[in-house]
Amino acid sequence: MPLKRPLPALMGGVSLSVLVSVGALAYQHLRTDALEERLLREVNTLTHATHPRPAHVTATQPGTFGEAVASLLPALIQQAREAPALNAAEAATREAVTEGRAPVTDLPSSSREALEHDRQLMRQVLAATHAESGGLPEDLRPLSGPEVSGRDALLQALRHVVDAAALETRLLVSRGDADQAVDTCVDTLALSRELALGGGLLGQRLSANGYGRTWRACADALDAASLGRKRQALSQLTRLHEGFPPVSLTLHEEAVAAQLHAFRDLLSDEARAELPPTWFDAPALPGALSRRLQWRQWVEDADRLMAVADQPAEERRRSLADLETLKGEEYFRHAESPSVRLSPEDVEALALRELRSEALMALVEVDVARAEKGQWPRALPTRTASLMLKPVDETEAQIHSCVQGLMPDPLVVKADGAPALQQVHDVP
């Protein structure tokens, strides 16, 4: 009869086996070799990425937008620093004038003087959007380095240009120079698109903000422009609309930059040597074991987010809500990457940018159809299902949003030659 092993010894052997198995699984889970290899591969890809997009002008300049604007960046920073600070009342009046809610005669003298000072540099920046390809200067990209203050300052300086150009568009419309106003506003929309091409989430936010700052003055300019300029603008607006980068690419840029910021000290010496020089400094941080788990979680979160980021707006909202529910059901979650997230505000801003872009195209299509056929079309000829046309009478039609809450007030189109002042209304 075989000898029976004592129960405690048997249990001890089982426990040891379980611990070894768990330890082996934990070791495999905590290994970041694959994450390191993937990160280096993605850094190399994004660092050398190009940003082709449809040019909005036929006579393009060789090279990229980044190359065309690079020499202007020091002057832009200086101009933004020297810009006179407006008090709350002056800023509100300037915004109301730009958006067409107040007459141009209400514009504060300080704003007129600032625009006179900024005009030459503003026009140089707008001309840079005529480059044959997109892509920001290296200093404006998320992967430019761990120091972000300089990048943020440059992007804000370009936002200052957008604000000045939107006001310039409004002034040109008020003087009756509608075709020239269209030239300015289309270039300004192009600048807003450039900010999204490789500028990360901040670039996307400034891009959406730029459309918000420009589109009302642009709509008035388009409505008042000559028929030939309207037709040309429709082609330009279509090419601008087609050139928006996918949101997933933006999130990819942010995810890679976030990993470099937070985990580059966990890379091997060989891997760190392959990074761009600006990332060589990698101070060692405590908690390496826990941070390796966090790194893996960040990558998994980013992959899930990128998989749904390019869905249509409503479907994307539902998918993002599902992801949040999934996160809530997971145990032992670490702090998330603050930059690799799409907030409800981001989702709404990007959806509104798309809707505004579509609305400008729809306005021109309706206006041209009315001029050519002598009556409003029965429906929008544009490709979007987010807008609908409601003729009011022979001289006026309205474009409404089908997406509740995004554009509660209609965009009003006046027939060419109608005596009433052309106005554009939208959310504040």
mmCIF file of all heavy atoms in Angstrom, residues 317-358:
data_model
loop_
_atom_site.group_PDB
_atom_site.id
_atom_site.type_symbol
_atom_site.label_atom_id
_atom_site.label_comp_id
_atom_site.label_asym_id
_atom_site.label_seq_id
_atom_site.Cartn_x
_atom_site.Cartn_y
_atom_site.Cartn_z
ATOM 1 N N ARG A 317 -20.553 59.314 -29.312
ATOM 2 C CA ARG A 317 -20.990 59.626 -27.944
ATOM 3 C C ARG A 317 -21.382 58.357 -27.196
ATOM 4 O O ARG A 317 -21.031 58.172 -26.023
ATOM 5 C CB ARG A 317 -22.167 60.611 -27.975
ATOM 6 C CG ARG A 317 -21.787 62.036 -28.349
ATOM 7 C CD ARG A 317 -22.973 62.976 -28.120
ATOM 8 N NE ARG A 317 -22.654 64.329 -28.500
ATOM 9 C CZ ARG A 317 -22.893 64.854 -29.699
ATOM 10 N NH1 ARG A 317 -23.479 64.097 -30.622
ATOM 11 N NH2 ARG A 317 -22.579 66.091 -29.973
ATOM 12 N N ARG A 318 -22.132 57.492 -27.870
ATOM 13 C CA ARG A 318 -22.553 56.246 -27.215
ATOM 14 C C ARG A 318 -21.343 55.354 -26.909
ATOM 15 O O ARG A 318 -21.264 54.745 -25.840
ATOM 16 C CB ARG A 318 -23.562 55.510 -28.097
ATOM 17 C CG ARG A 318 -24.908 56.202 -28.214
ATOM 18 C CD ARG A 318 -25.947 55.287 -28.860
ATOM 19 N NE ARG A 318 -25.605 54.976 -30.245
ATOM 20 C CZ ARG A 318 -26.006 55.697 -31.294
ATOM 21 N NH1 ARG A 318 -26.755 56.768 -31.113
ATOM 22 N NH2 ARG A 318 -25.672 55.339 -32.518
ATOM 23 N N SER A 319 -20.414 55.278 -27.847
ATOM 24 C CA SER A 319 -19.236 54.429 -27.650
ATOM 25 C C SER A 319 -18.378 54.941 -26.509
ATOM 26 O O SER A 319 -17.843 54.160 -25.707
ATOM 27 C CB SER A 319 -18.416 54.356 -28.940
ATOM 28 O OG SER A 319 -19.138 53.741 -29.981
ATOM 29 N N LEU A 320 -18.241 56.258 -26.405
ATOM 30 C CA LEU A 320 -17.456 56.830 -25.307
ATOM 31 C C LEU A 320 -18.119 56.543 -23.966
ATOM 32 O O LEU A 320 -17.433 56.264 -22.972
ATOM 33 C CB LEU A 320 -17.299 58.336 -25.511
ATOM 34 C CG LEU A 320 -16.419 58.775 -26.691
ATOM 35 C CD1 LEU A 320 -16.442 60.287 -26.831
ATOM 36 C CD2 LEU A 320 -14.986 58.283 -26.507
ATOM 37 N N ALA A 321 -19.442 56.612 -23.931
ATOM 38 C CA ALA A 321 -20.154 56.275 -22.687
ATOM 39 C C ALA A 321 -19.936 54.814 -22.325
ATOM 40 O O ALA A 321 -19.752 54.469 -21.143
ATOM 41 C CB ALA A 321 -21.642 56.581 -22.842
ATOM 42 N N ASP A 322 -19.947 53.930 -23.316
ATOM 43 C CA ASP A 322 -19.702 52.508 -23.059
ATOM 44 C C ASP A 322 -18.288 52.287 -22.516
ATOM 45 O O ASP A 322 -18.085 51.451 -21.622
ATOM 46 C CB ASP A 322 -19.893 51.697 -24.345
ATOM 47 C CG ASP A 322 -21.346 51.648 -24.801
ATOM 48 O OD1 ASP A 322 -22.232 51.926 -23.962
ATOM 49 O OD2 ASP A 322 -21.590 51.351 -25.989
ATOM 50 N N LEU A 323 -17.323 53.025 -23.041
ATOM 51 C CA LEU A 323 -15.950 52.895 -22.545
ATOM 52 C C LEU A 323 -15.847 53.323 -21.092
ATOM 53 O O LEU A 323 -15.130 52.696 -20.300
ATOM 54 C CB LEU A 323 -14.999 53.725 -23.407
ATOM 55 C CG LEU A 323 -14.708 53.205 -24.813
ATOM 56 C CD1 LEU A 323 -13.710 54.125 -25.518
ATOM 57 C CD2 LEU A 323 -14.158 51.785 -24.772
ATOM 58 N N GLU A 324 -16.552 54.387 -20.733
ATOM 59 C CA GLU A 324 -16.526 54.830 -19.339
ATOM 60 C C GLU A 324 -17.153 53.780 -18.429
ATOM 61 O O GLU A 324 -16.676 53.543 -17.316
ATOM 62 C CB GLU A 324 -17.264 56.164 -19.199
ATOM 63 C CG GLU A 324 -16.549 57.335 -19.846
ATOM 64 C CD GLU A 324 -15.157 57.545 -19.290
ATOM 65 O OE1 GLU A 324 -15.005 57.525 -18.047
ATOM 66 O OE2 GLU A 324 -14.208 57.706 -20.082
ATOM 67 N N THR A 325 -18.220 53.144 -18.901
ATOM 68 C CA THR A 325 -18.842 52.070 -18.113
ATOM 69 C C THR A 325 -17.870 50.903 -17.940
ATOM 70 O O THR A 325 -17.745 50.334 -16.843
ATOM 71 C CB THR A 325 -20.120 51.582 -18.804
ATOM 72 O OG1 THR A 325 -21.039 52.675 -18.929
ATOM 73 C CG2 THR A 325 -20.776 50.457 -18.014
ATOM 74 N N LEU A 326 -17.169 50.556 -18.996
ATOM 75 C CA LEU A 326 -16.193 49.465 -18.935
ATOM 76 C C LEU A 326 -15.081 49.777 -17.935
ATOM 77 O O LEU A 326 -14.678 48.908 -17.153
ATOM 78 C CB LEU A 326 -15.608 49.224 -20.322
ATOM 79 C CG LEU A 326 -14.557 48.107 -20.447
ATOM 80 C CD1 LEU A 326 -15.169 46.766 -20.085
ATOM 81 C CD2 LEU A 326 -13.982 48.071 -21.867
ATOM 82 N N LYS A 327 -14.603 51.012 -17.951
ATOM 83 C CA LYS A 327 -13.566 51.401 -16.992
ATOM 84 C C LYS A 327 -14.065 51.255 -15.559
ATOM 85 O O LYS A 327 -13.328 50.825 -14.670
ATOM 86 C CB LYS A 327 -13.134 52.853 -17.244
ATOM 87 C CG LYS A 327 -12.358 53.072 -18.522
ATOM 88 C CD LYS A 327 -12.036 54.560 -18.671
ATOM 89 C CE LYS A 327 -11.359 54.854 -19.987
ATOM 90 N NZ LYS A 327 -11.087 56.318 -20.138
ATOM 91 N N GLY A 328 -15.316 51.620 -15.336
ATOM 92 C CA GLY A 328 -15.868 51.541 -13.986
ATOM 93 C C GLY A 328 -15.987 50.127 -13.466
ATOM 94 O O GLY A 328 -16.065 49.919 -12.256
ATOM 95 N N GLU A 329 -16.002 49.159 -14.356
ATOM 96 C CA GLU A 329 -16.131 47.752 -13.948
ATOM 97 C C GLU A 329 -14.784 47.079 -13.756
ATOM 98 O O GLU A 329 -14.721 45.934 -13.317
ATOM 99 C CB GLU A 329 -16.941 46.992 -15.007
ATOM 100 C CG GLU A 329 -18.382 47.482 -15.138
ATOM 101 C CD GLU A 329 -19.104 46.857 -16.317
ATOM 102 O OE1 GLU A 329 -18.408 46.218 -17.151
ATOM 103 O OE2 GLU A 329 -20.337 47.003 -16.422
ATOM 104 N N GLU A 330 -13.697 47.757 -14.102
ATOM 105 C CA GLU A 330 -12.367 47.171 -13.983
ATOM 106 C C GLU A 330 -11.782 47.425 -12.594
ATOM 107 O O GLU A 330 -11.952 48.510 -12.025
ATOM 108 C CB GLU A 330 -11.437 47.732 -15.057
ATOM 109 C CG GLU A 330 -11.829 47.339 -16.472
ATOM 110 C CD GLU A 330 -10.913 47.957 -17.519
ATOM 111 O OE1 GLU A 330 -10.142 48.885 -17.162
ATOM 112 O OE2 GLU A 330 -10.954 47.517 -18.669
ATOM 113 N N TYR A 331 -11.089 46.431 -12.060
ATOM 114 C CA TYR A 331 -10.457 46.552 -10.747
ATOM 115 C C TYR A 331 -9.022 47.061 -10.900
ATOM 116 O O TYR A 331 -8.388 46.912 -11.928
ATOM 117 C CB TYR A 331 -10.447 45.192 -10.035
ATOM 118 C CG TYR A 331 -11.828 44.679 -9.693
ATOM 119 C CD1 TYR A 331 -12.417 43.665 -10.460
ATOM 120 C CD2 TYR A 331 -12.548 45.203 -8.618
ATOM 121 C CE1 TYR A 331 -13.679 43.188 -10.163
ATOM 122 C CE2 TYR A 331 -13.808 44.730 -8.309
ATOM 123 C CZ TYR A 331 -14.371 43.724 -9.074
ATOM 124 O OH TYR A 331 -15.633 43.259 -8.781
ATOM 125 N N PHE A 332 -8.537 47.656 -9.833
ATOM 126 C CA PHE A 332 -7.126 48.060 -9.723
ATOM 127 C C PHE A 332 -6.709 49.020 -10.840
ATOM 128 O O PHE A 332 -5.635 48.903 -11.408
ATOM 129 C CB PHE A 332 -6.205 46.830 -9.727
ATOM 130 C CG PHE A 332 -6.576 45.801 -8.708
ATOM 131 C CD1 PHE A 332 -7.004 44.531 -9.113
ATOM 132 C CD2 PHE A 332 -6.529 46.092 -7.356
ATOM 133 C CE1 PHE A 332 -7.356 43.574 -8.172
ATOM 134 C CE2 PHE A 332 -6.892 45.132 -6.411
ATOM 135 C CZ PHE A 332 -7.301 43.882 -6.820
ATOM 136 N N ARG A 333 -7.593 49.953 -11.175
ATOM 137 C CA ARG A 333 -7.232 50.937 -12.199
ATOM 138 C C ARG A 333 -6.319 52.009 -11.611
ATOM 139 O O ARG A 333 -6.485 52.436 -10.473
ATOM 140 C CB ARG A 333 -8.474 51.602 -12.796
ATOM 141 C CG ARG A 333 -9.219 50.701 -13.769
ATOM 142 C CD ARG A 333 -10.281 51.496 -14.526
ATOM 143 N NE ARG A 333 -9.710 52.579 -15.307
ATOM 144 C CZ ARG A 333 -9.188 52.434 -16.518
ATOM 145 N NH1 ARG A 333 -9.142 51.230 -17.093
ATOM 146 N NH2 ARG A 333 -8.692 53.460 -17.168
ATOM 147 N N HIS A 334 -5.353 52.431 -12.411
ATOM 148 C CA HIS A 334 -4.445 53.507 -12.024
ATOM 149 C C HIS A 334 -4.964 54.830 -12.574
ATOM 150 O O HIS A 334 -5.906 54.875 -13.366
ATOM 151 C CB HIS A 334 -3.034 53.225 -12.568
ATOM 152 C CG HIS A 334 -2.400 52.004 -11.994
ATOM 153 N ND1 HIS A 334 -1.504 52.045 -10.960
ATOM 154 C CD2 HIS A 334 -2.553 50.692 -12.306
ATOM 155 C CE1 HIS A 334 -1.107 50.816 -10.660
ATOM 156 N NE2 HIS A 334 -1.728 49.973 -11.461
ATOM 157 N N ALA A 335 -4.331 55.893 -12.154
ATOM 158 C CA ALA A 335 -4.695 57.210 -12.675
ATOM 159 C C ALA A 335 -4.540 57.223 -14.191
ATOM 160 O O ALA A 335 -3.583 56.680 -14.730
ATOM 161 C CB ALA A 335 -3.824 58.285 -12.037
ATOM 162 N N GLU A 336 -5.494 57.844 -14.867
ATOM 163 C CA GLU A 336 -5.482 57.847 -16.328
ATOM 164 C C GLU A 336 -4.640 58.997 -16.875
ATOM 165 O O GLU A 336 -4.368 59.972 -16.170
ATOM 166 C CB GLU A 336 -6.913 57.963 -16.864
ATOM 167 C CG GLU A 336 -7.808 56.804 -16.463
ATOM 168 C CD GLU A 336 -9.194 56.938 -17.049
ATOM 169 O OE1 GLU A 336 -9.300 57.144 -18.270
ATOM 170 O OE2 GLU A 336 -10.168 56.852 -16.291
ATOM 171 N N SER A 337 -4.280 58.875 -18.139
ATOM 172 C CA SER A 337 -3.568 59.959 -18.808
ATOM 173 C C SER A 337 -4.536 61.105 -19.049
ATOM 174 O O SER A 337 -5.553 60.921 -19.720
ATOM 175 C CB SER A 337 -2.997 59.478 -20.139
ATOM 176 O OG SER A 337 -2.522 60.567 -20.890
ATOM 177 N N PRO A 338 -4.259 62.276 -18.521
ATOM 178 C CA PRO A 338 -5.215 63.382 -18.698
ATOM 179 C C PRO A 338 -5.315 63.873 -20.129
ATOM 180 O O PRO A 338 -6.318 64.466 -20.514
ATOM 181 C CB PRO A 338 -4.642 64.477 -17.782
ATOM 182 C CG PRO A 338 -3.182 64.158 -17.668
ATOM 183 C CD PRO A 338 -3.087 62.665 -17.727
ATOM 184 N N SER A 339 -4.281 63.638 -20.941
ATOM 185 C CA SER A 339 -4.292 64.159 -22.307
ATOM 186 C C SER A 339 -4.938 63.209 -23.306
ATOM 187 O O SER A 339 -5.311 63.630 -24.394
ATOM 188 C CB SER A 339 -2.859 64.478 -22.763
ATOM 189 O OG SER A 339 -2.070 63.306 -22.767
ATOM 190 N N VAL A 340 -5.056 61.952 -22.956
ATOM 191 C CA VAL A 340 -5.620 60.980 -23.903
ATOM 192 C C VAL A 340 -7.062 60.695 -23.510
ATOM 193 O O VAL A 340 -7.427 59.603 -23.082
ATOM 194 C CB VAL A 340 -4.788 59.683 -23.945
ATOM 195 C CG1 VAL A 340 -5.244 58.792 -25.099
ATOM 196 C CG2 VAL A 340 -3.318 60.009 -24.119
ATOM 197 N N ARG A 341 -7.873 61.716 -23.646
ATOM 198 C CA ARG A 341 -9.292 61.602 -23.340
ATOM 199 C C ARG A 341 -10.057 62.526 -24.280
ATOM 200 O O ARG A 341 -9.553 63.566 -24.693
ATOM 201 C CB ARG A 341 -9.602 62.000 -21.895
ATOM 202 C CG ARG A 341 -9.068 61.047 -20.849
ATOM 203 C CD ARG A 341 -9.477 61.493 -19.453
ATOM 204 N NE ARG A 341 -10.927 61.463 -19.275
ATOM 205 C CZ ARG A 341 -11.604 60.387 -18.926
ATOM 206 N NH1 ARG A 341 -10.980 59.240 -18.753
ATOM 207 N NH2 ARG A 341 -12.913 60.439 -18.774
ATOM 208 N N LEU A 342 -11.258 62.154 -24.621
ATOM 209 C CA LEU A 342 -12.149 63.039 -25.353
ATOM 210 C C LEU A 342 -13.261 63.446 -24.405
ATOM 211 O O LEU A 342 -14.151 62.650 -24.087
ATOM 212 C CB LEU A 342 -12.736 62.326 -26.576
ATOM 213 C CG LEU A 342 -11.935 62.375 -27.880
ATOM 214 C CD1 LEU A 342 -12.695 61.646 -28.982
ATOM 215 C CD2 LEU A 342 -11.639 63.800 -28.299
ATOM 216 N N SER A 343 -13.185 64.666 -23.915
ATOM 217 C CA SER A 343 -14.210 65.152 -23.005
ATOM 218 C C SER A 343 -15.492 65.433 -23.778
ATOM 219 O O SER A 343 -15.464 65.589 -25.012
ATOM 220 C CB SER A 343 -13.730 66.429 -22.319
ATOM 221 O OG SER A 343 -13.639 67.491 -23.260
ATOM 222 N N PRO A 344 -16.627 65.513 -23.096
ATOM 223 C CA PRO A 344 -17.865 65.898 -23.794
ATOM 224 C C PRO A 344 -17.720 67.234 -24.506
ATOM 225 O O PRO A 344 -18.288 67.436 -25.585
ATOM 226 C CB PRO A 344 -18.887 65.969 -22.656
ATOM 227 C CG PRO A 344 -18.362 65.022 -21.607
ATOM 228 C CD PRO A 344 -16.875 65.153 -21.685
ATOM 229 N N GLU A 345 -16.938 68.147 -23.926
ATOM 230 C CA GLU A 345 -16.713 69.449 -24.568
ATOM 231 C C GLU A 345 -15.943 69.290 -25.880
ATOM 232 O O GLU A 345 -16.236 69.964 -26.873
ATOM 233 C CB GLU A 345 -15.964 70.378 -23.622
ATOM 234 C CG GLU A 345 -16.742 70.809 -22.389
ATOM 235 C CD GLU A 345 -16.806 69.719 -21.317
ATOM 236 O OE1 GLU A 345 -16.008 68.757 -21.393
ATOM 237 O OE2 GLU A 345 -17.651 69.838 -20.404
ATOM 238 N N ASP A 346 -14.937 68.387 -25.876
ATOM 239 C CA ASP A 346 -14.178 68.129 -27.105
ATOM 240 C C ASP A 346 -15.083 67.534 -28.183
ATOM 241 O O ASP A 346 -15.031 67.936 -29.354
ATOM 242 C CB ASP A 346 -13.018 67.172 -26.832
ATOM 243 C CG ASP A 346 -11.898 67.811 -26.037
ATOM 244 O OD1 ASP A 346 -11.714 69.043 -26.139
ATOM 245 O OD2 ASP A 346 -11.203 67.083 -25.305
ATOM 246 N N VAL A 347 -15.887 66.571 -27.795
ATOM 247 C CA VAL A 347 -16.771 65.907 -28.747
ATOM 248 C C VAL A 347 -17.727 66.920 -29.368
ATOM 249 O O VAL A 347 -17.935 66.957 -30.594
ATOM 250 C CB VAL A 347 -17.561 64.775 -28.058
ATOM 251 C CG1 VAL A 347 -18.623 64.206 -28.992
ATOM 252 C CG2 VAL A 347 -16.613 63.661 -27.609
ATOM 253 N N GLU A 348 -18.310 67.783 -28.537
ATOM 254 C CA GLU A 348 -19.252 68.776 -29.052
ATOM 255 C C GLU A 348 -18.551 69.799 -29.928
ATOM 256 O O GLU A 348 -19.078 70.207 -30.976
ATOM 257 C CB GLU A 348 -19.965 69.481 -27.898
ATOM 258 C CG GLU A 348 -20.984 70.502 -28.368
ATOM 259 C CD GLU A 348 -21.861 71.035 -27.250
ATOM 260 O OE1 GLU A 348 -21.869 70.423 -26.165
ATOM 261 O OE2 GLU A 348 -22.529 72.057 -27.464
ATOM 262 N N ALA A 349 -17.345 70.234 -29.537
ATOM 263 C CA ALA A 349 -16.614 71.231 -30.320
ATOM 264 C C ALA A 349 -16.268 70.698 -31.709
ATOM 265 O O ALA A 349 -16.398 71.414 -32.714
ATOM 266 C CB ALA A 349 -15.345 71.651 -29.589
ATOM 267 N N LEU A 350 -15.835 69.442 -31.790
ATOM 268 C CA LEU A 350 -15.487 68.859 -33.091
ATOM 269 C C LEU A 350 -16.729 68.659 -33.954
ATOM 270 O O LEU A 350 -16.689 68.879 -35.172
ATOM 271 C CB LEU A 350 -14.758 67.534 -32.884
ATOM 272 C CG LEU A 350 -13.384 67.642 -32.198
ATOM 273 C CD1 LEU A 350 -12.782 66.253 -31.987
ATOM 274 C CD2 LEU A 350 -12.431 68.505 -33.012
ATOM 275 N N ALA A 351 -17.829 68.257 -33.326
ATOM 276 C CA ALA A 351 -19.071 68.095 -34.082
ATOM 277 C C ALA A 351 -19.567 69.447 -34.598
ATOM 278 O O ALA A 351 -20.064 69.558 -35.726
ATOM 279 C CB ALA A 351 -20.136 67.435 -33.212
ATOM 280 N N LEU A 352 -19.425 70.490 -33.788
ATOM 281 C CA LEU A 352 -19.871 71.819 -34.196
ATOM 282 C C LEU A 352 -18.982 72.379 -35.303
ATOM 283 O O LEU A 352 -19.468 73.057 -36.218
ATOM 284 C CB LEU A 352 -19.876 72.749 -32.982
ATOM 285 C CG LEU A 352 -20.491 74.143 -33.177
ATOM 286 C CD1 LEU A 352 -21.883 74.043 -33.784
ATOM 287 C CD2 LEU A 352 -20.545 74.883 -31.847
ATOM 288 N N ARG A 353 -17.671 72.097 -35.249
ATOM 289 C CA ARG A 353 -16.795 72.521 -36.341
ATOM 290 C C ARG A 353 -17.235 71.890 -37.658
ATOM 291 O O ARG A 353 -17.307 72.565 -38.702
ATOM 292 C CB ARG A 353 -15.349 72.133 -36.044
ATOM 293 C CG ARG A 353 -14.370 72.560 -37.139
ATOM 294 C CD ARG A 353 -12.973 72.038 -36.887
ATOM 295 N NE ARG A 353 -12.906 70.592 -36.922
ATOM 296 C CZ ARG A 353 -11.811 69.875 -36.680
ATOM 297 N NH1 ARG A 353 -10.684 70.491 -36.373
ATOM 298 N NH2 ARG A 353 -11.825 68.560 -36.718
ATOM 299 N N GLU A 354 -17.537 70.604 -37.629
ATOM 300 C CA GLU A 354 -17.982 69.923 -38.844
ATOM 301 C C GLU A 354 -19.297 70.504 -39.345
ATOM 302 O O GLU A 354 -19.477 70.722 -40.552
ATOM 303 C CB GLU A 354 -18.127 68.424 -38.579
ATOM 304 C CG GLU A 354 -18.532 67.625 -39.799
ATOM 305 C CD GLU A 354 -18.528 66.127 -39.551
ATOM 306 O OE1 GLU A 354 -18.198 65.712 -38.428
ATOM 307 O OE2 GLU A 354 -18.855 65.379 -40.494
ATOM 308 N N LEU A 355 -20.217 70.775 -38.417
ATOM 309 C CA LEU A 355 -21.505 71.326 -38.807
ATOM 310 C C LEU A 355 -21.353 72.729 -39.396
ATOM 311 O O LEU A 355 -22.000 73.073 -40.391
ATOM 312 C CB LEU A 355 -22.443 71.357 -37.594
ATOM 313 C CG LEU A 355 -23.892 71.742 -37.884
ATOM 314 C CD1 LEU A 355 -24.572 70.686 -38.734
ATOM 315 C CD2 LEU A 355 -24.662 71.948 -36.584
ATOM 316 N N ARG A 356 -20.489 73.543 -38.801
ATOM 317 C CA ARG A 356 -20.269 74.891 -39.335
ATOM 318 C C ARG A 356 -19.651 74.832 -40.725
ATOM 319 O O ARG A 356 -20.013 75.622 -41.612
ATOM 320 C CB ARG A 356 -19.373 75.673 -38.372
ATOM 321 C CG ARG A 356 -20.118 76.173 -37.137
ATOM 322 C CD ARG A 356 -19.177 76.700 -36.086
ATOM 323 N NE ARG A 356 -19.916 77.403 -35.034
ATOM 324 C CZ ARG A 356 -19.475 77.584 -33.797
ATOM 325 N NH1 ARG A 356 -18.292 77.117 -33.451
ATOM 326 N NH2 ARG A 356 -20.211 78.249 -32.913
ATOM 327 N N SER A 357 -18.720 73.919 -40.919
ATOM 328 C CA SER A 357 -18.118 73.759 -42.228
ATOM 329 C C SER A 357 -19.164 73.353 -43.258
ATOM 330 O O SER A 357 -19.221 73.899 -44.374
ATOM 331 C CB SER A 357 -17.001 72.711 -42.157
ATOM 332 O OG SER A 357 -16.436 72.473 -43.417
ATOM 333 N N GLU A 358 -20.026 72.416 -42.889
ATOM 334 C CA GLU A 358 -21.092 71.985 -43.786
ATOM 335 C C GLU A 358 -22.081 73.112 -44.048
ATOM 336 O O GLU A 358 -22.581 73.277 -45.175
ATOM 337 C CB GLU A 358 -21.822 70.779 -43.183
ATOM 338 C CG GLU A 358 -20.977 69.513 -43.114
ATOM 339 C CD GLU A 358 -21.637 68.408 -42.318
ATOM 340 O OE1 GLU A 358 -22.576 68.719 -41.536
ATOM 341 O OE2 GLU A 358 -21.225 67.246 -42.448
#
